Amino acid sequence: MSSSPAPDAPITGEQIFTRVAWALRRADLNLQTAKERPLREIGIPGSHYSVLISLQVTPGVTAAELARVIGVTPQAVALLVAKLTASGMIERRTHPRHRSVQELHLTDAGREELAKAEYIVSDLERHIRDSLGDKSYRQLRELLGQVIDELPNWVPPQTDRGTVDPAADQ
Amino acid sequence: MSSSPAPDAPITGEQIFTRVAWALRRADLNLQTAKERPLREIGIPGSHYSVLISLQVTPGVTAAELARVIGVTPQAVALLVAKLTASGMIERRTHPRHRSVQELHLTDAGREELAKAEYIVSDLERHIRDSLGDKSYRQLRELLGQVIDELPNWVPPQTDRGTVDPAADQ
DNA sequence: TGAGATACATCAAGTGCTTGATGAAGACCA
DNA sequence: TGGTCTTCATCAAGCACTTGATGTATCTCA
């Protein structure tokens, strides 16, 4: 709230706030920042949690797969893996068939660390479910699933290329 | 539904994927990456778009407020503002009452640039609405709004720290 | 009126992640 | 069987953003 005399918000009817994309971004942003602080207090950055929970869900996943799941580049994952391996949270095992591929697994210490984080994250999830009620909670989950499934089908509109874009193509 | 395992049993993939927090993160992640590429093709990074659209919605906003809206630190905003000012997309005006405060406004060039980006982003939004149908689309928007409103009321659980739990946070 | 509180802006230093490029190994197929 | 394609991993360089700290201006209240 700024220091304008009239309490009425001067946000003249913009249709931006009615967008699902905007609401989705705001919701996820608030969600991430909400859980980031308590996680850091127990010494687990959000990125580390993402790795640990992914390994719990999908043991033996490769770094490249992991990168796609948590939405960062393989290089970023390599750095995370190096740290978590150094601190004994996870371990790398050579793939039985593909010798150049490294499978990632949680160690017992990693599972223990993850449990502490889960105590916080599951509490947040419970808060959301309690706030919305069981019916709306399931509805929201269903609708988000539909969005996730449909998003890859979107084809960006062509922005009169050929005039602006010389020949750059990948 | 499965019969409940032991309370402290390791969480399974099915349980994780049913979380709203997980779905929310996946949906936003896919959404951001989906629109990031076409935006970059017309020379507008996602972070720049966030600034421009925010200034469209709330003209005269300060850098500090902007930082809270788009979820980054004031320092990061300062860098963005410097770039967008240098390229003539936005301009800084001294606040009439607070001389140390800089209000941010779109320039005509900025509005033009934003229009190009909006062509893409609004198309994505339309795709989502068409995919879900009008009723589900409005439902999703409503539910996300509830989540955004309720999230600040969450109090992280105390993880055996010495401090005493404050009764309520305002 | 003047001390403390609050909010904005900005400087400096460090970190995490990105784009870009390279090498190695299994998969596909004539 | 050897060429081509795909995927994984990793090196190197650069940039975007963060944490931490400082200075300034306005507001609050004794």
PDB file of all heavy atoms in Angstrom, chain A residues 68-100:
ATOM      1  N   ARG A  68      15.632 -32.015 -15.745  1.00  0.00           N
ATOM      2  CA  ARG A  68      14.350 -31.744 -16.389  1.00  0.00           C
ATOM      3  C   ARG A  68      13.232 -31.667 -15.366  1.00  0.00           C
ATOM      4  O   ARG A  68      12.329 -30.840 -15.467  1.00  0.00           O
ATOM      5  CB  ARG A  68      14.049 -32.828 -17.424  1.00  0.00           C
ATOM      6  CG  ARG A  68      14.893 -32.713 -18.686  1.00  0.00           C
ATOM      7  CD  ARG A  68      14.409 -33.670 -19.761  1.00  0.00           C
ATOM      8  NE  ARG A  68      14.680 -35.076 -19.411  1.00  0.00           N
ATOM      9  CZ  ARG A  68      15.789 -35.720 -19.752  1.00  0.00           C
ATOM     10  NH1 ARG A  68      16.734 -35.087 -20.428  1.00  0.00           N
ATOM     11  NH2 ARG A  68      15.968 -36.970 -19.411  1.00  0.00           N
ATOM     12  N   VAL A  69      13.304 -32.541 -14.358  1.00  0.00           N
ATOM     13  CA  VAL A  69      12.238 -32.586 -13.363  1.00  0.00           C
ATOM     14  C   VAL A  69      12.182 -31.301 -12.539  1.00  0.00           C
ATOM     15  O   VAL A  69      11.114 -30.729 -12.325  1.00  0.00           O
ATOM     16  CB  VAL A  69      12.420 -33.792 -12.417  1.00  0.00           C
ATOM     17  CG1 VAL A  69      11.481 -33.698 -11.225  1.00  0.00           C
ATOM     18  CG2 VAL A  69      12.185 -35.082 -13.175  1.00  0.00           C
ATOM     19  N   ILE A  70      13.336 -30.848 -12.083  1.00  0.00           N
ATOM     20  CA  ILE A  70      13.314 -29.683 -11.203  1.00  0.00           C
ATOM     21  C   ILE A  70      13.479 -28.384 -11.977  1.00  0.00           C
ATOM     22  O   ILE A  70      13.496 -27.307 -11.384  1.00  0.00           O
ATOM     23  CB  ILE A  70      14.374 -29.782 -10.091  1.00  0.00           C
ATOM     24  CG1 ILE A  70      15.793 -29.734 -10.667  1.00  0.00           C
ATOM     25  CG2 ILE A  70      14.191 -31.033  -9.286  1.00  0.00           C
ATOM     26  CD1 ILE A  70      16.860 -29.827  -9.584  1.00  0.00           C
ATOM     27  N   GLY A  71      13.601 -28.484 -13.297  1.00  0.00           N
ATOM     28  CA  GLY A  71      13.521 -27.284 -14.116  1.00  0.00           C
ATOM     29  C   GLY A  71      14.774 -26.442 -14.182  1.00  0.00           C
ATOM     30  O   GLY A  71      14.687 -25.219 -14.296  1.00  0.00           O
ATOM     31  N   VAL A  72      15.941 -27.060 -14.078  1.00  0.00           N
ATOM     32  CA  VAL A  72      17.193 -26.313 -14.247  1.00  0.00           C
ATOM     33  C   VAL A  72      18.066 -27.054 -15.247  1.00  0.00           C
ATOM     34  O   VAL A  72      17.698 -28.117 -15.742  1.00  0.00           O
ATOM     35  CB  VAL A  72      17.943 -26.150 -12.907  1.00  0.00           C
ATOM     36  CG1 VAL A  72      17.151 -25.283 -11.942  1.00  0.00           C
ATOM     37  CG2 VAL A  72      18.248 -27.492 -12.300  1.00  0.00           C
ATOM     38  N   THR A  73      19.239 -26.503 -15.530  1.00  0.00           N
ATOM     39  CA  THR A  73      20.125 -27.115 -16.503  1.00  0.00           C
ATOM     40  C   THR A  73      20.910 -28.255 -15.862  1.00  0.00           C
ATOM     41  O   THR A  73      21.076 -28.304 -14.647  1.00  0.00           O
ATOM     42  CB  THR A  73      21.119 -26.084 -17.047  1.00  0.00           C
ATOM     43  OG1 THR A  73      21.876 -25.565 -15.959  1.00  0.00           O
ATOM     44  CG2 THR A  73      20.399 -24.955 -17.752  1.00  0.00           C
ATOM     45  N   PRO A  74      21.408 -29.186 -16.684  1.00  0.00           N
ATOM     46  CA  PRO A  74      22.217 -30.288 -16.165  1.00  0.00           C
ATOM     47  C   PRO A  74      23.457 -29.791 -15.417  1.00  0.00           C
ATOM     48  O   PRO A  74      23.892 -30.425 -14.453  1.00  0.00           O
ATOM     49  CB  PRO A  74      22.619 -31.043 -17.431  1.00  0.00           C
ATOM     50  CG  PRO A  74      21.555 -30.737 -18.412  1.00  0.00           C
ATOM     51  CD  PRO A  74      21.115 -29.333 -18.124  1.00  0.00           C
ATOM     52  N   GLN A  75      23.999 -28.675 -15.849  1.00  0.00           N
ATOM     53  CA  GLN A  75      25.170 -28.128 -15.174  1.00  0.00           C
ATOM     54  C   GLN A  75      24.853 -27.717 -13.746  1.00  0.00           C
ATOM     55  O   GLN A  75      25.639 -27.941 -12.823  1.00  0.00           O
ATOM     56  CB  GLN A  75      25.711 -26.915 -15.937  1.00  0.00           C
ATOM     57  CG  GLN A  75      26.292 -27.220 -17.281  1.00  0.00           C
ATOM     58  CD  GLN A  75      25.246 -27.202 -18.383  1.00  0.00           C
ATOM     59  OE1 GLN A  75      24.079 -27.465 -18.123  1.00  0.00           O
ATOM     60  NE2 GLN A  75      25.669 -26.899 -19.600  1.00  0.00           N
ATOM     61  N   ALA A  76      23.686 -27.116 -13.575  1.00  0.00           N
ATOM     62  CA  ALA A  76      23.271 -26.704 -12.238  1.00  0.00           C
ATOM     63  C   ALA A  76      23.084 -27.920 -11.342  1.00  0.00           C
ATOM     64  O   ALA A  76      23.457 -27.903 -10.167  1.00  0.00           O
ATOM     65  CB  ALA A  76      21.980 -25.893 -12.316  1.00  0.00           C
ATOM     66  N   VAL A  77      22.530 -28.978 -11.926  1.00  0.00           N
ATOM     67  CA  VAL A  77      22.341 -30.210 -11.167  1.00  0.00           C
ATOM     68  C   VAL A  77      23.685 -30.786 -10.752  1.00  0.00           C
ATOM     69  O   VAL A  77      23.853 -31.260  -9.629  1.00  0.00           O
ATOM     70  CB  VAL A  77      21.543 -31.238 -11.988  1.00  0.00           C
ATOM     71  CG1 VAL A  77      21.583 -32.602 -11.320  1.00  0.00           C
ATOM     72  CG2 VAL A  77      20.112 -30.776 -12.152  1.00  0.00           C
ATOM     73  N   ALA A  78      24.647 -30.724 -11.657  1.00  0.00           N
ATOM     74  CA  ALA A  78      25.974 -31.264 -11.355  1.00  0.00           C
ATOM     75  C   ALA A  78      26.564 -30.584 -10.118  1.00  0.00           C
ATOM     76  O   ALA A  78      27.176 -31.241  -9.274  1.00  0.00           O
ATOM     77  CB  ALA A  78      26.895 -31.071 -12.556  1.00  0.00           C
ATOM     78  N   LEU A  79      26.364 -29.271 -10.015  1.00  0.00           N
ATOM     79  CA  LEU A  79      26.866 -28.540  -8.854  1.00  0.00           C
ATOM     80  C   LEU A  79      26.145 -28.974  -7.583  1.00  0.00           C
ATOM     81  O   LEU A  79      26.767 -29.164  -6.538  1.00  0.00           O
ATOM     82  CB  LEU A  79      26.682 -27.030  -9.072  1.00  0.00           C
ATOM     83  CG  LEU A  79      27.529 -26.432 -10.204  1.00  0.00           C
ATOM     84  CD1 LEU A  79      27.119 -24.995 -10.461  1.00  0.00           C
ATOM     85  CD2 LEU A  79      29.004 -26.505  -9.852  1.00  0.00           C
ATOM     86  N   LEU A  80      24.823 -29.114  -7.688  1.00  0.00           N
ATOM     87  CA  LEU A  80      24.043 -29.555  -6.532  1.00  0.00           C
ATOM     88  C   LEU A  80      24.467 -30.950  -6.100  1.00  0.00           C
ATOM     89  O   LEU A  80      24.653 -31.221  -4.912  1.00  0.00           O
ATOM     90  CB  LEU A  80      22.552 -29.550  -6.870  1.00  0.00           C
ATOM     91  CG  LEU A  80      21.876 -28.188  -6.966  1.00  0.00           C
ATOM     92  CD1 LEU A  80      20.462 -28.319  -7.518  1.00  0.00           C
ATOM     93  CD2 LEU A  80      21.841 -27.529  -5.591  1.00  0.00           C
ATOM     94  N   VAL A  81      24.628 -31.829  -7.089  1.00  0.00           N
ATOM     95  CA  VAL A  81      25.016 -33.206  -6.793  1.00  0.00           C
ATOM     96  C   VAL A  81      26.385 -33.245  -6.114  1.00  0.00           C
ATOM     97  O   VAL A  81      26.606 -34.002  -5.162  1.00  0.00           O
ATOM     98  CB  VAL A  81      25.034 -34.053  -8.085  1.00  0.00           C
ATOM     99  CG1 VAL A  81      25.759 -35.363  -7.868  1.00  0.00           C
ATOM    100  CG2 VAL A  81      23.609 -34.308  -8.555  1.00  0.00           C
ATOM    101  N   ALA A  82      27.289 -32.409  -6.591  1.00  0.00           N
ATOM    102  CA  ALA A  82      28.627 -32.370  -5.998  1.00  0.00           C
ATOM    103  C   ALA A  82      28.553 -31.996  -4.520  1.00  0.00           C
ATOM    104  O   ALA A  82      29.202 -32.618  -3.675  1.00  0.00           O
ATOM    105  CB  ALA A  82      29.497 -31.368  -6.756  1.00  0.00           C
ATOM    106  N   LYS A  83      27.735 -31.000  -4.219  1.00  0.00           N
ATOM    107  CA  LYS A  83      27.611 -30.568  -2.818  1.00  0.00           C
ATOM    108  C   LYS A  83      26.977 -31.642  -1.955  1.00  0.00           C
ATOM    109  O   LYS A  83      27.450 -31.947  -0.862  1.00  0.00           O
ATOM    110  CB  LYS A  83      26.764 -29.288  -2.746  1.00  0.00           C
ATOM    111  CG  LYS A  83      27.543 -28.038  -3.100  1.00  0.00           C
ATOM    112  CD  LYS A  83      26.650 -26.820  -3.022  1.00  0.00           C
ATOM    113  CE  LYS A  83      27.307 -25.658  -3.751  1.00  0.00           C
ATOM    114  NZ  LYS A  83      26.342 -24.579  -4.050  1.00  0.00           N
ATOM    115  N   LEU A  84      25.876 -32.193  -2.459  1.00  0.00           N
ATOM    116  CA  LEU A  84      25.138 -33.174  -1.678  1.00  0.00           C
ATOM    117  C   LEU A  84      25.931 -34.474  -1.528  1.00  0.00           C
ATOM    118  O   LEU A  84      25.791 -35.187  -0.530  1.00  0.00           O
ATOM    119  CB  LEU A  84      23.772 -33.442  -2.323  1.00  0.00           C
ATOM    120  CG  LEU A  84      22.783 -32.288  -2.173  1.00  0.00           C
ATOM    121  CD1 LEU A  84      21.572 -32.468  -3.088  1.00  0.00           C
ATOM    122  CD2 LEU A  84      22.318 -32.179  -0.722  1.00  0.00           C
ATOM    123  N   THR A  85      26.756 -34.772  -2.517  1.00  0.00           N
ATOM    124  CA  THR A  85      27.622 -35.950  -2.390  1.00  0.00           C
ATOM    125  C   THR A  85      28.709 -35.680  -1.350  1.00  0.00           C
ATOM    126  O   THR A  85      29.015 -36.539  -0.514  1.00  0.00           O
ATOM    127  CB  THR A  85      28.276 -36.281  -3.743  1.00  0.00           C
ATOM    128  OG1 THR A  85      27.257 -36.485  -4.715  1.00  0.00           O
ATOM    129  CG2 THR A  85      29.131 -37.536  -3.640  1.00  0.00           C
ATOM    130  N   ALA A  86      29.263 -34.480  -1.395  1.00  0.00           N
ATOM    131  CA  ALA A  86      30.320 -34.119  -0.449  1.00  0.00           C
ATOM    132  C   ALA A  86      29.818 -34.165   0.991  1.00  0.00           C
ATOM    133  O   ALA A  86      30.551 -34.541   1.909  1.00  0.00           O
ATOM    134  CB  ALA A  86      30.858 -32.728  -0.776  1.00  0.00           C
ATOM    135  N   SER A  87      28.558 -33.776   1.186  1.00  0.00           N
ATOM    136  CA  SER A  87      28.016 -33.766   2.546  1.00  0.00           C
ATOM    137  C   SER A  87      27.375 -35.105   2.898  1.00  0.00           C
ATOM    138  O   SER A  87      26.754 -35.238   3.955  1.00  0.00           O
ATOM    139  CB  SER A  87      27.005 -32.625   2.703  1.00  0.00           C
ATOM    140  OG  SER A  87      25.953 -32.752   1.780  1.00  0.00           O
ATOM    141  N   GLY A  88      27.487 -36.064   2.000  1.00  0.00           N
ATOM    142  CA  GLY A  88      27.040 -37.418   2.317  1.00  0.00           C
ATOM    143  C   GLY A  88      25.541 -37.639   2.263  1.00  0.00           C
ATOM    144  O   GLY A  88      25.042 -38.628   2.786  1.00  0.00           O
ATOM    145  N   MET A  89      24.825 -36.737   1.618  1.00  0.00           N
ATOM    146  CA  MET A  89      23.363 -36.874   1.546  1.00  0.00           C
ATOM    147  C   MET A  89      22.938 -37.836   0.443  1.00  0.00           C
ATOM    148  O   MET A  89      21.943 -38.536   0.557  1.00  0.00           O
ATOM    149  CB  MET A  89      22.718 -35.506   1.284  1.00  0.00           C
ATOM    150  CG  MET A  89      22.940 -34.494   2.386  1.00  0.00           C
ATOM    151  SD  MET A  89      22.197 -34.997   3.940  1.00  0.00           S
ATOM    152  CE  MET A  89      23.634 -35.012   5.007  1.00  0.00           C
ATOM    153  N   ILE A  90      23.698 -37.848  -0.646  1.00  0.00           N
ATOM    154  CA  ILE A  90      23.372 -38.725  -1.772  1.00  0.00           C
ATOM    155  C   ILE A  90      24.650 -39.425  -2.234  1.00  0.00           C
ATOM    156  O   ILE A  90      25.744 -39.061  -1.823  1.00  0.00           O
ATOM    157  CB  ILE A  90      22.762 -37.953  -2.959  1.00  0.00           C
ATOM    158  CG1 ILE A  90      23.804 -37.040  -3.604  1.00  0.00           C
ATOM    159  CG2 ILE A  90      21.579 -37.126  -2.502  1.00  0.00           C
ATOM    160  CD1 ILE A  90      23.273 -36.291  -4.804  1.00  0.00           C
ATOM    161  N   GLU A  91      24.487 -40.420  -3.089  1.00  0.00           N
ATOM    162  CA  GLU A  91      25.656 -41.105  -3.624  1.00  0.00           C
ATOM    163  C   GLU A  91      25.441 -41.440  -5.092  1.00  0.00           C
ATOM    164  O   GLU A  91      24.311 -41.582  -5.565  1.00  0.00           O
ATOM    165  CB  GLU A  91      25.947 -42.382  -2.835  1.00  0.00           C
ATOM    166  CG  GLU A  91      24.822 -43.403  -2.862  1.00  0.00           C
ATOM    167  CD  GLU A  91      25.166 -44.644  -2.059  1.00  0.00           C
ATOM    168  OE1 GLU A  91      26.230 -44.646  -1.417  1.00  0.00           O
ATOM    169  OE2 GLU A  91      24.378 -45.604  -2.083  1.00  0.00           O
ATOM    170  N   ARG A  92      26.544 -41.536  -5.821  1.00  0.00           N
ATOM    171  CA  ARG A  92      26.489 -41.832  -7.243  1.00  0.00           C
ATOM    172  C   ARG A  92      26.913 -43.282  -7.469  1.00  0.00           C
ATOM    173  O   ARG A  92      27.905 -43.740  -6.937  1.00  0.00           O
ATOM    174  CB  ARG A  92      27.428 -40.887  -8.006  1.00  0.00           C
ATOM    175  CG  ARG A  92      27.158 -39.430  -7.724  1.00  0.00           C
ATOM    176  CD  ARG A  92      28.222 -38.551  -8.344  1.00  0.00           C
ATOM    177  NE  ARG A  92      28.399 -38.882  -9.765  1.00  0.00           N
ATOM    178  CZ  ARG A  92      29.189 -38.213 -10.593  1.00  0.00           C
ATOM    179  NH1 ARG A  92      29.872 -37.187 -10.158  1.00  0.00           N
ATOM    180  NH2 ARG A  92      29.296 -38.553 -11.856  1.00  0.00           N
ATOM    181  N   ARG A  93      26.138 -43.975  -8.287  1.00  0.00           N
ATOM    182  CA  ARG A  93      26.497 -45.342  -8.645  1.00  0.00           C
ATOM    183  C   ARG A  93      26.494 -45.461 -10.163  1.00  0.00           C
ATOM    184  O   ARG A  93      25.618 -44.940 -10.834  1.00  0.00           O
ATOM    185  CB  ARG A  93      25.483 -46.340  -8.080  1.00  0.00           C
ATOM    186  CG  ARG A  93      25.294 -46.246  -6.572  1.00  0.00           C
ATOM    187  CD  ARG A  93      24.256 -47.264  -6.117  1.00  0.00           C
ATOM    188  NE  ARG A  93      23.775 -46.971  -4.764  1.00  0.00           N
ATOM    189  CZ  ARG A  93      22.629 -47.453  -4.265  1.00  0.00           C
ATOM    190  NH1 ARG A  93      21.865 -48.223  -5.019  1.00  0.00           N
ATOM    191  NH2 ARG A  93      22.253 -47.148  -3.045  1.00  0.00           N
ATOM    192  N   THR A  94      27.465 -46.167 -10.663  1.00  0.00           N
ATOM    193  CA  THR A  94      27.536 -46.356 -12.113  1.00  0.00           C
ATOM    194  C   THR A  94      26.393 -47.255 -12.575  1.00  0.00           C
ATOM    195  O   THR A  94      26.112 -48.280 -11.964  1.00  0.00           O
ATOM    196  CB  THR A  94      28.882 -46.994 -12.491  1.00  0.00           C
ATOM    197  OG1 THR A  94      29.928 -46.139 -12.052  1.00  0.00           O
ATOM    198  CG2 THR A  94      28.975 -47.179 -13.997  1.00  0.00           C
ATOM    199  N   HIS A  95      25.755 -46.853 -13.641  1.00  0.00           N
ATOM    200  CA  HIS A  95      24.650 -47.621 -14.208  1.00  0.00           C
ATOM    201  C   HIS A  95      25.154 -48.994 -14.639  1.00  0.00           C
ATOM    202  O   HIS A  95      26.216 -49.112 -15.255  1.00  0.00           O
ATOM    203  CB  HIS A  95      24.072 -46.864 -15.415  1.00  0.00           C
ATOM    204  CG  HIS A  95      22.781 -47.439 -15.921  1.00  0.00           C
ATOM    205  ND1 HIS A  95      22.711 -48.602 -16.634  1.00  0.00           N
ATOM    206  CD2 HIS A  95      21.505 -47.005 -15.803  1.00  0.00           C
ATOM    207  CE1 HIS A  95      21.449 -48.860 -16.941  1.00  0.00           C
ATOM    208  NE2 HIS A  95      20.692 -47.898 -16.453  1.00  0.00           N
ATOM    209  N   PRO A  96      24.408 -50.062 -14.310  1.00  0.00           N
ATOM    210  CA  PRO A  96      24.865 -51.417 -14.611  1.00  0.00           C
ATOM    211  C   PRO A  96      25.146 -51.628 -16.107  1.00  0.00           C
ATOM    212  O   PRO A  96      26.097 -52.320 -16.464  1.00  0.00           O
ATOM    213  CB  PRO A  96      23.702 -52.296 -14.138  1.00  0.00           C
ATOM    214  CG  PRO A  96      22.541 -51.372 -13.964  1.00  0.00           C
ATOM    215  CD  PRO A  96      23.128 -50.051 -13.617  1.00  0.00           C
ATOM    216  N   ARG A  97      24.327 -51.040 -16.977  1.00  0.00           N
ATOM    217  CA  ARG A  97      24.535 -51.255 -18.407  1.00  0.00           C
ATOM    218  C   ARG A  97      25.340 -50.129 -19.051  1.00  0.00           C
ATOM    219  O   ARG A  97      26.203 -50.379 -19.879  1.00  0.00           O
ATOM    220  CB  ARG A  97      23.184 -51.390 -19.118  1.00  0.00           C
ATOM    221  CG  ARG A  97      22.407 -52.623 -18.680  1.00  0.00           C
ATOM    222  CD  ARG A  97      21.127 -52.732 -19.478  1.00  0.00           C
ATOM    223  NE  ARG A  97      21.388 -52.770 -20.917  1.00  0.00           N
ATOM    224  CZ  ARG A  97      20.446 -52.616 -21.851  1.00  0.00           C
ATOM    225  NH1 ARG A  97      19.212 -52.381 -21.483  1.00  0.00           N
ATOM    226  NH2 ARG A  97      20.763 -52.682 -23.124  1.00  0.00           N
ATOM    227  N   HIS A  98      25.004 -48.900 -18.663  1.00  0.00           N
ATOM    228  CA  HIS A  98      25.680 -47.754 -19.286  1.00  0.00           C
ATOM    229  C   HIS A  98      26.741 -47.224 -18.334  1.00  0.00           C
ATOM    230  O   HIS A  98      26.432 -46.531 -17.378  1.00  0.00           O
ATOM    231  CB  HIS A  98      24.672 -46.654 -19.620  1.00  0.00           C
ATOM    232  CG  HIS A  98      23.487 -47.158 -20.375  1.00  0.00           C
ATOM    233  ND1 HIS A  98      23.507 -47.386 -21.726  1.00  0.00           N
ATOM    234  CD2 HIS A  98      22.250 -47.520 -19.966  1.00  0.00           C
ATOM    235  CE1 HIS A  98      22.331 -47.837 -22.120  1.00  0.00           C
ATOM    236  NE2 HIS A  98      21.552 -47.934 -21.067  1.00  0.00           N
ATOM    237  N   ARG A  99      27.966 -47.515 -18.654  1.00  0.00           N
ATOM    238  CA  ARG A  99      29.034 -47.180 -17.717  1.00  0.00           C
ATOM    239  C   ARG A  99      29.262 -45.676 -17.574  1.00  0.00           C
ATOM    240  O   ARG A  99      29.832 -45.222 -16.595  1.00  0.00           O
ATOM    241  CB  ARG A  99      30.340 -47.857 -18.156  1.00  0.00           C
ATOM    242  CG  ARG A  99      30.400 -49.312 -17.806  1.00  0.00           C
ATOM    243  CD  ARG A  99      31.632 -49.939 -18.421  1.00  0.00           C
ATOM    244  NE  ARG A  99      31.689 -49.715 -19.874  1.00  0.00           N
ATOM    245  CZ  ARG A  99      32.696 -50.079 -20.648  1.00  0.00           C
ATOM    246  NH1 ARG A  99      33.739 -50.682 -20.120  1.00  0.00           N
ATOM    247  NH2 ARG A  99      32.679 -49.842 -21.951  1.00  0.00           N
ATOM    248  N   SER A 100      28.839 -44.932 -18.580  1.00  0.00           N
ATOM    249  CA  SER A 100      29.078 -43.494 -18.510  1.00  0.00           C
ATOM    250  C   SER A 100      27.957 -42.757 -17.766  1.00  0.00           C
ATOM    251  O   SER A 100      28.055 -41.567 -17.524  1.00  0.00           O
ATOM    252  CB  SER A 100      29.210 -42.918 -19.922  1.00  0.00           C
ATOM    253  OG  SER A 100      27.978 -42.987 -20.586  1.00  0.00           O
TER     254      SER A 100
END
